[in-house]
Amino acid sequence: MGAAMVVDARGMRCPWPVLRLSRAMRGADQVQILADDPQAECEISALAQQQGWDVTAADEGWVVRKI
């Protein structure tokens, strides 16, 4: 699989990082989401679980993949 699309949501408060991730995943199989809102990890995990996506922690955020 190629390089992940990167979504930089740093400085945005939830729900914006999750909304940006959801939009990006419509056109990609893998997205790296950069977010610094403390609530983002929980919301990204919840969205991924709901959609059946895999989430892996990365250096500056998370990598989300369609399974």
Side-chain angles (χ1 to χ4, degrees):
M1 188 174 286
M5 174 189 295
V6 177
V7 173
D8 188 348
R10 292 176 289 193
M12 296 180 187
R13 294 288 163 233
C14 286
W16 289 107
V18 172
L19 294 172
R20 295 281 174 100
L21 172 62
S22 181
R23 174 180 269 172
M25 289 296 285
R26 290 183 205 156
D29 291 329
Q30 178 174 307
V31 172
Q32 180 174 8
I33 177 87
L34 308 176
D36 54 8
D37 183 335
Q39 193 65 27
E41 182 175 10
C42 179
E43 293 202 13
I44 289 167
S45 294
L47 176 66
Q49 182 177 21
Q50 179 183 30
Q51 297 295 323
W53 301 334
D54 179 60
V55 179
T56 305
D59 289 340
E60 293 186 70
W62 303 269
V63 176
V64 181
R65 294 178 188 89
K66 290 180 182 173
I67 300 175

